[in-house]
Amino acid sequence: MNIVILFGTESGNAELISSEIAEAINGRHTVFIRDMSDVDPAELSRDDFHLVVCSTHGEGELPSGAVPFATALMDAKPDLRGLRYAMFGMGDSSYDNYSRGSDVVDELLRAHGAKRHGPFGRYDASSQDDAIQLGKEWANEVLKDLQGVQTSVTGKN
Amino acid sequence: MAEATREDYEERSAAVDPVGGSLASPLSIVIVGAGPAGCYAAHALRKELPSAEITVVDRLPTPFGLLRYGVAADHQGTKAVQQQFERLFHSTNVAFIGGLELGRDFHLGQLTEIFDIVVLATGAPQDRRLGVEGDTLEGILGAGRLTRALNSHPEAFADPPVVSPHVAIVGAGNVAIDLLRLLSKGTDEWHGSDMDDAVLRHILPKPVMEIHLIARSSAVQARWDAAMLRELGSLQRPEFRLLTGDLEAGQSLAVDALRALLVERDGRTDLAINLHMECDVERVLGERRVEGLRIRSRSGETKDIAVGTVVTAIGFEPQPRGALPSRVYLTGWLKTGPQGTIPLQRTLAKQLASEITRDLRQGLIATPRPGRSALPSGRTTDFAGWRRIDRFERARAAEKRVRRKLTDIELIHTVAEAATGSHPLANDQFK
């Protein structure tokens, strides 16, 4: 199973975190990184597991890099049943609508049948946290959970 | 090991290099200006052309331009994009060279002889003037100059401006609000910032007692962000008053934020911030030095305000540019004119990388050029040098501050050149 990291970014910080996550999990998994602005959601593969890293812009809006992806979901309404992902949101709790960008993408993915796995990770720019560290810990946790799920499925067979 | 791993997955993730790999020697790219526009350009070009040799030069010995010297000291979150660029300069094929200036150390013609592709990202550093009588009097400060001084820019620090306790700020954009906030902060409101107290004391020998903000636009039209206004609400000292204009005319998040600021503090304030919306500056008053401003409201009423400093935050001068030689590209404010945010530079960079790749596919590049190794030598810094400066500045940060910048070009070079592990200035007065 390949891991596809999808990032939705305004200033590139979500891309940076995605690169660092990729570096951390590469070797254990085959990893690809893709900018959401270049991805048609209908083309996502059910064979891959998706780590979605999405920031928030302005007053709780989507980052510009996630807008085409979200628009495609709303307009084309693709059937995403069987698609698996985990979500990591970035925001600033000193603003209203903290981390709303990731919530919007998450709601859209689920509304079209995709299933979210593992913990919903969040990074708060107002905290003293290290975004990269949090991102890596989140990815590790998600992938650990995922292996558990796979093992139990295999066990049933 | 980590390096190999990183390259490994980046090889697979990166776009297939359409042209760079087919040349006899790698494509060479130079980017002039290591601010956000130049760094994003390097990042985007590296993704499109992974095998290209990319060199980012800056006239200062330190990288990151306005991230370091423009973004406010108390907005460290905005400076976080720097991490992306540090990662970039760690990667193979991308180098930073500081201390080389276009027009001083080399000319554009030389660059086009040395490099296959030249990208200019030198920005628009010149403050726009008021354009009224008296706008060259002593005591008039461009926002860019004041921002650089507050950010410990070596050149601004060589001749640091002094701000009077009675100051007018002309403009109603985020730059004006940044300066309003920085001038209003009390001594204990800088936690987590990289403000240098000695620099601040120099610029503000006495605390500011009164700020007049003068804006042409109405509260609804002004280009400030609501979040910037809301941030002002957490300041300890000021009381805000709206002296001209009204908030009834429209609805916006910014107007809501402004309304929340206009609460009386029952005389418990030692800093009055007076907002004059929908007012034009008619002239600057004074003989040699600024003594005041004459402003005119929409109703035609004029008013004289006594101030000792006028900060102009009305934008920057667009940079003149002639026809470009082939293989030379622009990005950032040099290309778009002086407006647009940091994230916009990332978008511009992606467009630039596509444009250059398209031109390459069309066979624009005939002969490989020598690239980085042919740059003029001199007293320059590299990325390893920047890392030493960075560590040094962080290590000497005052309590509850994240950094204390070096303000002297010579010292910056000395620290950059020091062998790893030694402390060249360990015992001097700058520590």
Side-chain angles (χ1 to χ4, degrees), chain B residues 389-410:
Chain B
I389 296 163
D390 186 38
R391 276 197 300 272
F392 189 83
E393 288 183 341
R394 288 177 189 277
R396 68 179 207 139
E399 203 186 341
K400 292 175 179 164
R401 307 288 160 89
V402 296
R403 171 190 303 277
R404 188 173 169 221
K405 287 177 193 159
L406 291 162
T407 52
D408 183 282
I409 291 273
E410 282 303 309

PDB file of all heavy atoms in Angstrom, chain B residues 389-410:
ATOM      1  N   ILE B 389      25.272  32.373  12.088  1.00  0.00           N
ATOM      2  CA  ILE B 389      24.662  33.643  12.501  1.00  0.00           C
ATOM      3  C   ILE B 389      23.370  33.361  13.270  1.00  0.00           C
ATOM      4  O   ILE B 389      23.121  33.914  14.346  1.00  0.00           O
ATOM      5  CB  ILE B 389      24.357  34.522  11.261  1.00  0.00           C
ATOM      6  CG1 ILE B 389      25.646  34.917  10.546  1.00  0.00           C
ATOM      7  CG2 ILE B 389      23.559  35.765  11.653  1.00  0.00           C
ATOM      8  CD1 ILE B 389      25.438  35.426   9.114  1.00  0.00           C
ATOM      9  N   ASP B 390      22.572  32.463  12.720  1.00  0.00           N
ATOM     10  CA  ASP B 390      21.281  32.117  13.313  1.00  0.00           C
ATOM     11  C   ASP B 390      21.467  31.587  14.737  1.00  0.00           C
ATOM     12  O   ASP B 390      20.822  32.046  15.682  1.00  0.00           O
ATOM     13  CB  ASP B 390      20.604  31.070  12.404  1.00  0.00           C
ATOM     14  CG  ASP B 390      19.198  30.739  12.853  1.00  0.00           C
ATOM     15  OD1 ASP B 390      18.497  31.664  13.300  1.00  0.00           O
ATOM     16  OD2 ASP B 390      18.801  29.562  12.747  1.00  0.00           O
ATOM     17  N   ARG B 391      22.379  30.632  14.885  1.00  0.00           N
ATOM     18  CA  ARG B 391      22.630  30.052  16.218  1.00  0.00           C
ATOM     19  C   ARG B 391      23.132  31.113  17.177  1.00  0.00           C
ATOM     20  O   ARG B 391      22.714  31.187  18.327  1.00  0.00           O
ATOM     21  CB  ARG B 391      23.666  28.917  16.115  1.00  0.00           C
ATOM     22  CG  ARG B 391      23.071  27.576  15.722  1.00  0.00           C
ATOM     23  CD  ARG B 391      24.048  26.449  16.035  1.00  0.00           C
ATOM     24  NE  ARG B 391      25.299  26.589  15.326  1.00  0.00           N
ATOM     25  CZ  ARG B 391      25.522  26.108  14.104  1.00  0.00           C
ATOM     26  NH1 ARG B 391      24.563  25.448  13.471  1.00  0.00           N
ATOM     27  NH2 ARG B 391      26.681  26.260  13.514  1.00  0.00           N
ATOM     28  N   PHE B 392      24.027  31.956  16.683  1.00  0.00           N
ATOM     29  CA  PHE B 392      24.615  33.005  17.513  1.00  0.00           C
ATOM     30  C   PHE B 392      23.536  33.980  17.987  1.00  0.00           C
ATOM     31  O   PHE B 392      23.471  34.337  19.167  1.00  0.00           O
ATOM     32  CB  PHE B 392      25.692  33.740  16.705  1.00  0.00           C
ATOM     33  CG  PHE B 392      26.508  34.701  17.512  1.00  0.00           C
ATOM     34  CD1 PHE B 392      27.580  34.256  18.256  1.00  0.00           C
ATOM     35  CD2 PHE B 392      26.199  36.050  17.520  1.00  0.00           C
ATOM     36  CE1 PHE B 392      28.334  35.144  19.015  1.00  0.00           C
ATOM     37  CE2 PHE B 392      26.947  36.936  18.274  1.00  0.00           C
ATOM     38  CZ  PHE B 392      28.019  36.485  19.017  1.00  0.00           C
ATOM     39  N   GLU B 393      22.684  34.381  17.071  1.00  0.00           N
ATOM     40  CA  GLU B 393      21.637  35.348  17.425  1.00  0.00           C
ATOM     41  C   GLU B 393      20.618  34.747  18.392  1.00  0.00           C
ATOM     42  O   GLU B 393      20.103  35.441  19.272  1.00  0.00           O
ATOM     43  CB  GLU B 393      20.912  35.824  16.159  1.00  0.00           C
ATOM     44  CG  GLU B 393      21.758  36.757  15.309  1.00  0.00           C
ATOM     45  CD  GLU B 393      21.010  37.277  14.087  1.00  0.00           C
ATOM     46  OE1 GLU B 393      20.003  36.674  13.685  1.00  0.00           O
ATOM     47  OE2 GLU B 393      21.447  38.307  13.545  1.00  0.00           O
ATOM     48  N   ARG B 394      20.320  33.464  18.230  1.00  0.00           N
ATOM     49  CA  ARG B 394      19.381  32.826  19.146  1.00  0.00           C
ATOM     50  C   ARG B 394      19.993  32.667  20.538  1.00  0.00           C
ATOM     51  O   ARG B 394      19.324  32.854  21.549  1.00  0.00           O
ATOM     52  CB  ARG B 394      18.962  31.447  18.616  1.00  0.00           C
ATOM     53  CG  ARG B 394      18.036  31.525  17.414  1.00  0.00           C
ATOM     54  CD  ARG B 394      17.715  30.123  16.902  1.00  0.00           C
ATOM     55  NE  ARG B 394      17.015  30.159  15.647  1.00  0.00           N
ATOM     56  CZ  ARG B 394      15.698  30.333  15.536  1.00  0.00           C
ATOM     57  NH1 ARG B 394      14.969  30.473  16.614  1.00  0.00           N
ATOM     58  NH2 ARG B 394      15.127  30.362  14.350  1.00  0.00           N
ATOM     59  N   ALA B 395      21.289  32.338  20.543  1.00  0.00           N
ATOM     60  CA  ALA B 395      21.957  32.093  21.825  1.00  0.00           C
ATOM     61  C   ALA B 395      22.051  33.366  22.662  1.00  0.00           C
ATOM     62  O   ALA B 395      22.059  33.315  23.886  1.00  0.00           O
ATOM     63  CB  ALA B 395      23.347  31.511  21.582  1.00  0.00           C
ATOM     64  N   ARG B 396      22.140  34.517  22.011  1.00  0.00           N
ATOM     65  CA  ARG B 396      22.294  35.757  22.789  1.00  0.00           C
ATOM     66  C   ARG B 396      20.970  36.482  22.981  1.00  0.00           C
ATOM     67  O   ARG B 396      20.940  37.656  23.386  1.00  0.00           O
ATOM     68  CB  ARG B 396      23.321  36.675  22.134  1.00  0.00           C
ATOM     69  CG  ARG B 396      22.888  37.254  20.820  1.00  0.00           C
ATOM     70  CD  ARG B 396      23.939  38.177  20.236  1.00  0.00           C
ATOM     71  NE  ARG B 396      23.289  39.158  19.375  1.00  0.00           N
ATOM     72  CZ  ARG B 396      23.607  40.435  19.318  1.00  0.00           C
ATOM     73  NH1 ARG B 396      24.593  40.918  20.033  1.00  0.00           N
ATOM     74  NH2 ARG B 396      22.960  41.252  18.523  1.00  0.00           N
ATOM     75  N   ALA B 397      19.834  35.798  22.698  1.00  0.00           N
ATOM     76  CA  ALA B 397      18.513  36.408  22.889  1.00  0.00           C
ATOM     77  C   ALA B 397      18.330  36.777  24.351  1.00  0.00           C
ATOM     78  O   ALA B 397      18.757  36.056  25.247  1.00  0.00           O
ATOM     79  CB  ALA B 397      17.426  35.436  22.444  1.00  0.00           C
ATOM     80  N   ALA B 398      17.692  37.925  24.592  1.00  0.00           N
ATOM     81  CA  ALA B 398      17.366  38.318  25.956  1.00  0.00           C
ATOM     82  C   ALA B 398      16.278  37.388  26.487  1.00  0.00           C
ATOM     83  O   ALA B 398      15.679  36.622  25.739  1.00  0.00           O
ATOM     84  CB  ALA B 398      16.882  39.766  25.972  1.00  0.00           C
ATOM     85  N   GLU B 399      16.019  37.490  27.779  1.00  0.00           N
ATOM     86  CA  GLU B 399      15.018  36.641  28.403  1.00  0.00           C
ATOM     87  C   GLU B 399      13.661  36.856  27.725  1.00  0.00           C
ATOM     88  O   GLU B 399      13.265  37.989  27.451  1.00  0.00           O
ATOM     89  CB  GLU B 399      14.912  37.011  29.887  1.00  0.00           C
ATOM     90  CG  GLU B 399      14.351  35.909  30.735  1.00  0.00           C
ATOM     91  CD  GLU B 399      14.131  36.366  32.173  1.00  0.00           C
ATOM     92  OE1 GLU B 399      14.749  37.382  32.568  1.00  0.00           O
ATOM     93  OE2 GLU B 399      13.346  35.728  32.871  1.00  0.00           O
ATOM     94  N   LYS B 400      12.962  35.771  27.451  1.00  0.00           N
ATOM     95  CA  LYS B 400      11.631  35.786  26.831  1.00  0.00           C
ATOM     96  C   LYS B 400      11.637  36.346  25.403  1.00  0.00           C
ATOM     97  O   LYS B 400      10.612  36.777  24.884  1.00  0.00           O
ATOM     98  CB  LYS B 400      10.626  36.558  27.694  1.00  0.00           C
ATOM     99  CG  LYS B 400      10.329  35.836  29.001  1.00  0.00           C
ATOM    100  CD  LYS B 400       9.431  36.650  29.884  1.00  0.00           C
ATOM    101  CE  LYS B 400       9.133  35.872  31.172  1.00  0.00           C
ATOM    102  NZ  LYS B 400       8.586  36.740  32.218  1.00  0.00           N
ATOM    103  N   ARG B 401      12.794  36.420  24.799  1.00  0.00           N
ATOM    104  CA  ARG B 401      12.900  36.779  23.384  1.00  0.00           C
ATOM    105  C   ARG B 401      13.493  35.576  22.641  1.00  0.00           C
ATOM    106  O   ARG B 401      14.201  34.772  23.245  1.00  0.00           O
ATOM    107  CB  ARG B 401      13.813  37.995  23.161  1.00  0.00           C
ATOM    108  CG  ARG B 401      13.453  39.203  23.974  1.00  0.00           C
ATOM    109  CD  ARG B 401      12.171  39.864  23.476  1.00  0.00           C
ATOM    110  NE  ARG B 401      11.599  40.696  24.527  1.00  0.00           N
ATOM    111  CZ  ARG B 401      11.912  41.966  24.719  1.00  0.00           C
ATOM    112  NH1 ARG B 401      12.750  42.552  23.902  1.00  0.00           N
ATOM    113  NH2 ARG B 401      11.374  42.654  25.694  1.00  0.00           N
ATOM    114  N   VAL B 402      13.222  35.492  21.357  1.00  0.00           N
ATOM    115  CA  VAL B 402      13.696  34.324  20.622  1.00  0.00           C
ATOM    116  C   VAL B 402      15.026  34.564  19.918  1.00  0.00           C
ATOM    117  O   VAL B 402      15.686  33.626  19.480  1.00  0.00           O
ATOM    118  CB  VAL B 402      12.647  33.841  19.590  1.00  0.00           C
ATOM    119  CG1 VAL B 402      11.387  33.370  20.305  1.00  0.00           C
ATOM    120  CG2 VAL B 402      12.313  34.933  18.579  1.00  0.00           C
ATOM    121  N   ARG B 403      15.420  35.836  19.787  1.00  0.00           N
ATOM    122  CA  ARG B 403      16.605  36.143  18.997  1.00  0.00           C
ATOM    123  C   ARG B 403      17.038  37.575  19.318  1.00  0.00           C
ATOM    124  O   ARG B 403      16.242  38.426  19.673  1.00  0.00           O
ATOM    125  CB  ARG B 403      16.235  36.027  17.505  1.00  0.00           C
ATOM    126  CG  ARG B 403      17.278  36.506  16.507  1.00  0.00           C
ATOM    127  CD  ARG B 403      16.702  36.561  15.098  1.00  0.00           C
ATOM    128  NE  ARG B 403      16.166  35.295  14.642  1.00  0.00           N
ATOM    129  CZ  ARG B 403      16.901  34.324  14.111  1.00  0.00           C
ATOM    130  NH1 ARG B 403      18.206  34.477  13.960  1.00  0.00           N
ATOM    131  NH2 ARG B 403      16.347  33.210  13.723  1.00  0.00           N
ATOM    132  N   ARG B 404      18.344  37.837  19.191  1.00  0.00           N
ATOM    133  CA  ARG B 404      18.804  39.225  19.164  1.00  0.00           C
ATOM    134  C   ARG B 404      19.714  39.368  17.964  1.00  0.00           C
ATOM    135  O   ARG B 404      20.805  38.796  17.910  1.00  0.00           O
ATOM    136  CB  ARG B 404      19.524  39.596  20.463  1.00  0.00           C
ATOM    137  CG  ARG B 404      19.814  41.072  20.522  1.00  0.00           C
ATOM    138  CD  ARG B 404      20.375  41.497  21.874  1.00  0.00           C
ATOM    139  NE  ARG B 404      20.874  42.857  21.750  1.00  0.00           N
ATOM    140  CZ  ARG B 404      21.999  43.289  22.290  1.00  0.00           C
ATOM    141  NH1 ARG B 404      22.744  42.489  23.013  1.00  0.00           N
ATOM    142  NH2 ARG B 404      22.383  44.530  22.115  1.00  0.00           N
ATOM    143  N   LYS B 405      19.240  40.135  16.976  1.00  0.00           N
ATOM    144  CA  LYS B 405      19.953  40.217  15.703  1.00  0.00           C
ATOM    145  C   LYS B 405      21.254  40.989  15.838  1.00  0.00           C
ATOM    146  O   LYS B 405      21.338  41.940  16.624  1.00  0.00           O
ATOM    147  CB  LYS B 405      19.073  40.917  14.663  1.00  0.00           C
ATOM    148  CG  LYS B 405      17.919  40.074  14.170  1.00  0.00           C
ATOM    149  CD  LYS B 405      17.068  40.878  13.208  1.00  0.00           C
ATOM    150  CE  LYS B 405      15.748  40.176  12.952  1.00  0.00           C
ATOM    151  NZ  LYS B 405      14.729  41.106  12.444  1.00  0.00           N
ATOM    152  N   LEU B 406      22.211  40.585  15.037  1.00  0.00           N
ATOM    153  CA  LEU B 406      23.431  41.365  14.885  1.00  0.00           C
ATOM    154  C   LEU B 406      23.110  42.556  13.984  1.00  0.00           C
ATOM    155  O   LEU B 406      22.396  42.403  12.989  1.00  0.00           O
ATOM    156  CB  LEU B 406      24.523  40.509  14.248  1.00  0.00           C
ATOM    157  CG  LEU B 406      25.067  39.381  15.124  1.00  0.00           C
ATOM    158  CD1 LEU B 406      25.800  38.351  14.262  1.00  0.00           C
ATOM    159  CD2 LEU B 406      26.000  39.925  16.191  1.00  0.00           C
ATOM    160  N   THR B 407      23.628  43.732  14.314  1.00  0.00           N
ATOM    161  CA  THR B 407      23.277  44.917  13.539  1.00  0.00           C
ATOM    162  C   THR B 407      24.445  45.459  12.733  1.00  0.00           C
ATOM    163  O   THR B 407      24.297  46.455  12.035  1.00  0.00           O
ATOM    164  CB  THR B 407      22.776  46.038  14.475  1.00  0.00           C
ATOM    165  OG1 THR B 407      23.744  46.230  15.498  1.00  0.00           O
ATOM    166  CG2 THR B 407      21.444  45.684  15.089  1.00  0.00           C
ATOM    167  N   ASP B 408      25.594  44.814  12.865  1.00  0.00           N
ATOM    168  CA  ASP B 408      26.784  45.335  12.210  1.00  0.00           C
ATOM    169  C   ASP B 408      27.242  44.354  11.124  1.00  0.00           C
ATOM    170  O   ASP B 408      27.474  43.173  11.408  1.00  0.00           O
ATOM    171  CB  ASP B 408      27.891  45.536  13.264  1.00  0.00           C
ATOM    172  CG  ASP B 408      29.141  46.138  12.662  1.00  0.00           C
ATOM    173  OD1 ASP B 408      29.915  45.401  12.011  1.00  0.00           O
ATOM    174  OD2 ASP B 408      29.326  47.362  12.825  1.00  0.00           O
ATOM    175  N   ILE B 409      27.347  44.848   9.900  1.00  0.00           N
ATOM    176  CA  ILE B 409      27.684  43.985   8.759  1.00  0.00           C
ATOM    177  C   ILE B 409      29.014  43.244   8.998  1.00  0.00           C
ATOM    178  O   ILE B 409      29.134  42.053   8.728  1.00  0.00           O
ATOM    179  CB  ILE B 409      27.779  44.829   7.464  1.00  0.00           C
ATOM    180  CG1 ILE B 409      26.392  45.337   7.060  1.00  0.00           C
ATOM    181  CG2 ILE B 409      28.427  44.035   6.332  1.00  0.00           C
ATOM    182  CD1 ILE B 409      25.584  44.406   6.196  1.00  0.00           C
ATOM    183  N   GLU B 410      29.997  43.973   9.540  1.00  0.00           N
ATOM    184  CA  GLU B 410      31.313  43.350   9.798  1.00  0.00           C
ATOM    185  C   GLU B 410      31.170  42.194  10.781  1.00  0.00           C
ATOM    186  O   GLU B 410      31.742  41.129  10.591  1.00  0.00           O
ATOM    187  CB  GLU B 410      32.292  44.399  10.354  1.00  0.00           C
ATOM    188  CG  GLU B 410      32.866  45.316   9.298  1.00  0.00           C
ATOM    189  CD  GLU B 410      33.571  44.535   8.186  1.00  0.00           C
ATOM    190  OE1 GLU B 410      34.423  43.684   8.518  1.00  0.00           O
ATOM    191  OE2 GLU B 410      33.244  44.760   7.013  1.00  0.00           O
TER     192      GLU B 410
END
